[in-house]
């Protein structure tokens, strides 16, 4: 895409990447764009750590006898996979990388409201990550990412308290980031940028931030209670100490279900940017897409009991939570229909970000629809804690959230680095990821229906065929994730200059800011006179 | 490796078919919408592909009628799923009155099953075909979960409380059960088989093998051994005769029904509920008595009540 017309962009110009050099200029930066890159490096590291654990698990499951790993090792691997991917990759991925980079640029601000607090968030995040890595290296933790009591408080032998403290500490990073974003979005919008002119990415980041500051304190409290019981035998959850193990599940899922929407809402925001740009059309039904984010965030706090349909919760509680869980499906469906309708009569092009966006819509649709099986009481009883659940939430988390994240990274990469990556390789990688993903996780729906429980390193032989298919898919998926790592790093040095707006996209970050943006983002404060997605 | 490659789990209980019908309905709805979205996207992707860089698509803001349609139709479908799933769930959660009770104790990492007539099993459960069976379950340590895919039943087995499931098998044979709630290192070894037998075979199995005393008889021995008799047999503590299943008046004026959970609590935490007219002098037996022994004592107390009722 590099043409002679873009050549003048190459001439030397001060931007956020070259206005200062040296390790100190990065570790002490308060520039939201540099902090975003610090997060990018960190979450990429955690993604491949969590991914390596998944690869070992899938290899172990090639044989029903699980001959590769000891059960204790396998248990530590899936626990680490869950904790790392949920708390240290998915939760920060879109908000802390793309959100940090884009929110000020999209709303025409110089930085977030509290730049130093923003840097502190990253340090807290890294401290939490370091504590977790200590827990892993010092012997691991074998409770699963759900830390169910009394297993975690009285029986598990791993470094439960250290892992819980890693989660506890990193939660404050999310709280501070959420706070920062909310204030930024309220107070720092450019003149003329009213709420209904905001890009939908901002709406979804706002909804996400609200969940951060409301849900993260609950997991922090829960982790402290867990540590108190484990260290000092204060009877809170363990019935032999006079506690109630179900109380833990209520607390954990009161945080945990909003948390899973924290993981998907930001990617939904990314898709709402990509589809209009590559269709050259306004988003279909702006206000419906915007308010569906708010509705999802609100209802997400009222559905936690659907994790407990077989835990001994009362039948009536089950009914209420089932109904509310169905309710949360509606705003998700509205989003999918509106994205699809946006393509209608558009001018659709298929650069790599759009392929990720289409992949997202398809996989999120399948993940969302299979959630109905789990919201419905009678079928959930059979499917709960089986591979069906694993397949369902990986379609949402990996097929949805990770596809959206990668789509966003590919879309804004020219803005972040000023360089283009090879589009052919990027489209190839998107295809490999899509195929590998489906081959990995579709067989798991069938496995779950057949009754294979999750967290089983050893399993009955009749489940082997489907497990082999899944492992084959996982190896394709793993390669699919490594390809972008290679060409994106390559492009930082060798990629052709991107120019200010290689996609012809709307939005302040494309129309008013250079690529890469100068340290202060805009030479003068932009004034907004039109709605978002004003493509024709 | 291709040995028995199924696409549907065995349907061996009276509720399995109902659950499967709902499952098929959900699958059909899912396929319809997935195919609809995929085909629409493929169609749009080809029909509206970018033909030149400067083409200008029409400006479309949205369509209220469409938005309402695609909100209301999914909502109605969800309503159907909710009512269908819930009515099955309510029906499946109520054991029939006549159900035969079997007791299940989970502990790291084995299943301990006990029939009222006495036989005990480990990781095997023998049941008669065509008769409703109610499992009363608890755990010695962490949370486990009793899951029989062929019966479509699953329930957490929680320490400190009794949970129940029921099923009625429709075909003889051997079917797997699993622990479905992660319970520590050898979670995946905590599996076993349900052996569904004809009633005749089951009677033969119950009476065959090593002669074991019934749960109630074992409970009667424990009643002596733990010294329960010194109070509950002398009037110092409330008597057990005709206690089970009947209302008990407490000293705070409330009335509770003497069921499994009440009796278990009274053994482990005697001061929680004091029977009217008695003083709170009973010591706790927490830590001295196993879950299995508690179930045996409850069976004994139950036997005293049934005998009275029959007179």
């Amino acid at each position: 895409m590099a043409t002679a017309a873009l050549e003048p962009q190459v001439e030397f110009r001060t931007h956020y990447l070259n206005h200062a050099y040296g390790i100190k200029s990065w570790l002490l930066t308060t520039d939201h764009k540099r902090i975003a890159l610090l997060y990018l490096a960190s979450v990429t590291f955690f993604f491949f750590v969590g991914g390596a654990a998944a690869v070992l698990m899938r290899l172990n499951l090639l044989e029903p006898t699980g001959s590769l790993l000891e059960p204790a090792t396998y248990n530590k691997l899936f626990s680490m996979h869950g904790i790392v991917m949920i708390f240290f990759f998915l939760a920060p991925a879109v908000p802390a990388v793309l959100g940090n980079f884009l929110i000020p640029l999209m709303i025409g601000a110089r930085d977030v409201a509290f730049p130093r607090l923003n840097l502190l968030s990253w340090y807290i995040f890294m401290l939490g990550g370091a504590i977790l890595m200590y827990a892993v290296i010092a012997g691991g933790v074998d409770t699963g990412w759900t830390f169910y009591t009394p297993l975690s408080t009285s029986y598990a032998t791993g470094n439960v308290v250290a892992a819980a403290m890693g989660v506890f500490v990193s939660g404050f990073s999310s709280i501070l980031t959420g706070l920062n974003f909310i204030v930024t979005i309220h107070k720092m919008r450019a003149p003329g940028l009213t709420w209904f002119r905001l890009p939908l990415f901002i709406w979804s980041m706002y909804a996400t931030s609200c969940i951060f500051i409301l849900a993260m304190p609950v997991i922090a409290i829960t982790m402290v209670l867990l540590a108190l019981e484990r260290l000092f035998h204060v009877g809170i959850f363990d019935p032999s100490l006079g506690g109630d193990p179900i109380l833990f599940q209520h607390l954990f899922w009161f945080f945990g279900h909003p948390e899973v929407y924290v993981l998907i809402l930001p990617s939904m925001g990314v898709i709402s940017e990509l589809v209009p740009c590559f269709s050259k059309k306004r988003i279909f039904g702006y206000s419906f897409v915007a308010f569906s984010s708010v509705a999802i965030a609100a209802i997400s706090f009222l559905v936690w009991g659907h994790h407990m349909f077989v835990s001994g919760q009362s039948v009536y509680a089950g009914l209420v939570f089932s109904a509310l869980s169905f309710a949360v499906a509606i705003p998700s469906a509205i989003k999918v229909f509106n994205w699809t309708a946006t393509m209608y009569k558009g001018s659709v092009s298929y650069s790599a970000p759009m392929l990720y966006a289409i992949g997202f819509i398809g996989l999120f649709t399948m993940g969302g629809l299979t959630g109905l099986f789990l919201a419905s009481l009678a079928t959930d009883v059979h499917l709960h804690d089986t591979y069906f659940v694993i397949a369902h939430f990986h379609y949402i988390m990996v097929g949805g959230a990770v596809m959206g994240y990668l789509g966003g990274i590919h879309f804004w990469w020219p803005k972040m680095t000023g360089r283009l990556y090879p589009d052919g390789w990027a489209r190839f990688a998107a295809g490999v990821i899509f195929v590998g993903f489906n081959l990995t996780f579709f067989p798991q729906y069938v496995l779950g229906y057949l009754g294979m429980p999750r967290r089983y390193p050893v399993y009955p032989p009749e489940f082997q065929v489907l497990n082999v298919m899944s492992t084959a898919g996982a190896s394709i998926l793993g390669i699919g994730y490594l390809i972008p790592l290679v060409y994106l790093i390559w492009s930082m040095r060798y990629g052709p200059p991107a120019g200010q707006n290689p996609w012809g996209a709307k939005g302040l970050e494309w129309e008013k800011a250079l690529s890469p943006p100068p340290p202060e983002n805009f030479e003068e404060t932009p004034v907004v006179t039109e709605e978002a997605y004003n493509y024709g | 490796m291709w040995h028995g490659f199924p696409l549907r789990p065995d349907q061996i209980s009276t509720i399995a078919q109902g659950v499967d019908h709902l499952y098929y309905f959900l699958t059909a709805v899912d396929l319809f919408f997935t195919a609809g979205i995929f085909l629409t996207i493929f169609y749009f992707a080809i029909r509206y592909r970018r033909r030149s860089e400067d083409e200008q698509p029409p400006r479309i803001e949205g369509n209220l009628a469409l938005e309402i349609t695609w909100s209301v139709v999914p909502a109605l479908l969800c309503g159907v799923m909710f009512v269908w799933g819930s009515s099955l769930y309510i029906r499946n959660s109520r054991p029939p009155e006549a159900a035969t009770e079997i007791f299940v104790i989970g502990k790291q990492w084995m299943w301990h099953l006990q029939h009222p007539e006495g036989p005990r099993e480990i990781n095997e459960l023998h049941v008669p075909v065509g008769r409703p069976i109610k499992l009363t379950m608890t755990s010695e340590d962490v949370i486990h979960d009793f899951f029989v895919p062929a019966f479509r039943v699953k329930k957490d087995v929680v320490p400190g409380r009794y949970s129940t499931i029921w099923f009625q098998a429709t075909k003889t044979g051997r079917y797997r059960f699993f622990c479905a709630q992660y319970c520590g290192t050898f979670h995946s070894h905590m599996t076993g088989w349900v052996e569904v037998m004809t009633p005749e075979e089951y009677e033969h199995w119950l009476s065959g093998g090593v002669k074991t005393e019934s749960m109630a008889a074992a409970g009667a021995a424990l009643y002596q051994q733990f010294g329960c008799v010194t109070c509950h047999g002398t009037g110092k503590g409330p008597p057990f005769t005709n206690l089970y299943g009947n209302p008990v008046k407490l000293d705070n004026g409330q009335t509770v029904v003497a069921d499994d959970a009440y009796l278990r609590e009274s053994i482990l935490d005697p001061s929680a509920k004091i029977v009217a007219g008695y003083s709170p002098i009973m010591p706790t037996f927490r830590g001295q008595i196993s879950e299995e022994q508690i179930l045996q004592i409850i069976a004994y107390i139950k036997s005293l009540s049934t005998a009275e009722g029959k007179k």
Side-chain angles (χ1 to χ4, degrees), chain A residues 64-410:
Chain A
T65 48
S67 43
L68 182 67
L69 303 167
E70 291 293 320
T73 313
Y74 183 92
N75 297 343
K76 286 172 184 169
L77 284 171
F78 74 65
S79 304
M80 185 182 74
H81 173 74
I83 297 170
V84 167
M85 287 301 202
I86 300 272
F87 294 104
F88 293 90
F89 172 69
L90 284 166
V94 176
V97 178
L98 295 174
N100 253 323
F101 194 91
L102 292 168
I103 288 176
L105 283 165
M106 282 183 164
I107 66 172
R110 286 185 61 132
D111 206 317
V112 293
F114 308 112
R116 276 181 290 186
L117 194 66
N118 200 16
L119 181 63
L120 179 65
S121 300
W122 181 72
Y123 276 102
I124 293 175
F125 174 70
M126 293 309 283
L127 178 64
I131 297 172
L132 178 70
M133 287 300 112
Y134 159 77
V136 170
I137 292 164
V141 60
D142 60 347
T143 60
W145 81 280
T146 45
F147 294 103
Y148 268 22
T149 57
L151 177 67
S152 60
T153 53
S154 303
Y155 293 88
T157 51
N159 295 304
V160 180
V161 172
M165 285 307 104
V167 171
F168 172 81
V169 170
S170 77
F172 287 93
S173 156
S174 299
I175 294 171
L176 295 179
T177 300
L179 188 76
N180 220 335
F181 287 176
I182 289 175
V183 177
T184 307
I185 294 169
H186 268 279
K187 304 304 287 184
M188 299 183 69
R189 283 173 282 129
L193 188 53
T194 59
W195 283 93
F196 288 98
R197 287 178 176 177
L198 282 173
L200 289 164
F201 180 75
I202 301 292
W203 276 86
S204 78
M205 289 311 308
Y206 188 85
T208 305
S209 301
C210 291
I211 301 181
F212 271 150
I213 60 172
L214 291 172
M216 286 296 173
V218 179
I219 189 69
I221 293 163
T222 311
M223 291 294 116
V224 169
L225 294 176
L226 184 146
L228 280 177
E229 181 166 285
R230 186 165 171 96
L231 294 174
F232 306 113
H233 308 291
V234 182
I236 302 163
F237 304 124
D238 184 349
S240 65
L241 299 170
D244 181 353
I246 308 296
L247 172 65
F248 178 86
Q249 296 179 24
H250 280 291
L251 289 170
F252 184 85
W253 290 116
F254 184 79
F255 143 82
H257 208 82
E259 167 77 4
V260 304
Y261 286 101
V262 154
L263 312 180
I264 189 68
L265 269 171
S267 282
M268 291 172 158
V270 169
I271 302 309
S272 300
E273 299 299 312
L274 301 190
V275 176
C277 173
F278 292 97
S279 305
K280 266 183 143 180
K281 258 181 90 235
R282 293 172 54 86
I283 187 98
F284 193 89
Y286 176 97
S287 53
F288 286 91
V289 180
F291 281 111
S292 61
S293 292
V294 179
I296 288 173
I299 305 172
S300 75
F301 279 96
L302 305 172
V303 299
W304 79 90
H306 70 216
H307 296 269
M308 300 163 63
F309 287 157
V310 301
S311 73
Q313 178 178 255
S314 88
V315 172
Y316 304 104
L319 294 176
V320 171
F321 283 118
S322 170
L324 287 163
S325 303
F326 277 116
V328 87
I330 311 298
S332 307
I334 290 174
K335 279 183 187 289
V336 168
F337 292 134
N338 279 294
W339 291 323
T340 308
T342 301
M343 291 170 72
Y344 173 67
K345 289 196 172 171
S347 167
V348 186
S349 78
Y350 301 101
S351 301
M354 185 61 169
L355 294 189
Y356 280 108
I358 290 176
F360 174 101
I361 298 174
L363 299 180
F364 175 74
T365 300
M366 290 175 71
L369 284 167
T370 49
L372 299 174
F373 289 77
L374 305 171
S376 156
L377 285 159
T379 39
D380 180 74
V381 169
H382 177 62
L383 299 169
H384 181 83
D385 271 335
T386 69
Y387 264 83
F388 191 95
V389 176
I390 308 288
H392 158 68
F393 73 71
H394 280 86
Y395 265 80
I396 304 280
M397 297 296 152
V398 185
V402 178
M403 288 292 252
Y405 170 69
L406 287 175
I409 289 287
H410 282 83

Side-chain angles (χ1 to χ4, degrees), chain B:
Chain B
M1 159 168 158
W2 291 95
H3 152 76
F5 178 73
L7 283 173
R8 193 186 74 189
D10 291 326
Q11 277 183 342
I12 307 298
S13 74
T14 47
I15 69 165
Q17 215 176 30
V19 173
D20 281 347
H21 286 159
L22 175 57
Y23 185 92
Y24 301 147
F25 172 72
L26 288 163
T27 308
V29 171
D30 274 24
L31 282 178
F32 175 78
F33 279 98
T34 307
I37 292 287
F38 273 63
L39 291 177
T40 310
I41 287 180
F42 276 125
Y43 175 71
F44 287 174
I46 294 161
R47 173 79 176 73
Y48 302 116
R49 69 185 179 278
R50 190 169 297 175
R51 291 178 169 85
S52 76
E53 282 307 313
D54 50 3
E55 68 186 353
Q56 192 54 270
R59 189 184 169 88
I60 300 172
E61 309 237 335
N63 183 321
L64 187 64
L66 263 181
E67 299 284 354
I68 291 171
T69 310
W70 66 42
S71 307
V72 171
V73 171
L76 290 176
L77 277 170
C78 282
V80 172
M81 294 170 190
F82 168 71
V83 172
W84 191 342
S86 301
S87 57
L88 276 177
Y89 180 73
I90 292 169
R91 206 171 73 205
N92 297 351
S93 62
R94 285 198 196 126
E97 288 290 325
T100 308
E101 201 172 12
I102 298 175
F103 299 89
V104 180
I105 296 167
K107 56 184 164 194
Q108 286 180 328
W109 289 274
M110 59 190 281
W111 292 103
H112 192 105
L113 301 107
Q114 172 138 31
H115 299 253
E117 295 83 355
R120 300 172 188 176
E121 310 184 69
I122 288 175
N123 296 344
E124 293 250 342
L125 172 61
H126 288 75
V127 292
V129 70
R131 255 194 249 159
I133 307 288
K134 175 181 159 192
L135 301 183
T136 296
M137 312 185 290
T138 190
S139 163
E140 292 267 9
D141 38 47
V142 303
I143 302 176
H144 303 281
D145 184 295
F146 195 81
F147 173 32
V148 191
F151 297 166
R152 312 289 187 274
V153 294
K154 177 186 287 140
K155 190 88 170 206
D156 279 5
V157 178
V158 184
R161 62 170 73 177
Y162 292 121
S163 51
T164 54
I165 48 175
W166 78 275
F167 56 82
Q168 181 172 330
T170 54
K171 216 171 112 192
T172 56
R174 264 165 84 76
Y175 309 99
R176 288 185 188 278
F177 67 80
F178 297 105
C179 176
Q181 182 61 267
Y182 175 66
C183 60
T185 310
F186 294 105
H187 168 54
S188 61
H189 293 57
M190 207 169 148
T191 62
W193 295 92
V194 184
E195 180 92 49
V196 181
M197 315 165 94
T198 62
E200 301 75 44
E201 281 172 341
Y202 180 69
E203 291 308 325
H204 186 250
W205 176 83
L206 273 182
S207 56
V210 187
K211 269 282 171 236
T212 44
E213 54 183 353
S214 74
M215 282 179 73
L222 292 170
Y223 176 70
Q224 301 288 338
Q225 186 193 322
F226 279 102
C228 315
V229 61
T230 48
C231 295
H232 292 283
T234 59
K236 234 166 118 187
F240 290 165
T241 313
N242 225 358
L243 169 61
Y244 189 89
N246 288 318
V248 177
K249 216 169 157 45
L250 303 182
D251 65 351
N252 61 7
Q254 288 182 331
T255 302
V256 294
V257 174
D259 57 7
D260 294 352
Y262 165 79
L263 294 174
R264 182 180 183 284
E265 183 187 41
S266 298
I267 295 168
L268 295 178
D269 190 7
S271 52
K273 296 191 176 82
I274 304 296
V275 180
Y278 294 90
S279 39
I281 52 165
M282 177 169 158
T284 175
F285 284 82
R286 190 183 290 280
Q288 303 168 43
I289 186 166
S290 71
E291 292 291 349
E292 186 184 0
Q293 289 170 323
I294 294 173
L295 285 171
Q296 287 165 345
I297 289 179
I298 292 174
Y300 169 63
I301 296 172
K302 206 174 183 175
S303 71
L304 299 176
S305 186
T306 330
E308 283 300 305
K310 275 177 190 162
K311 273 183 190 170

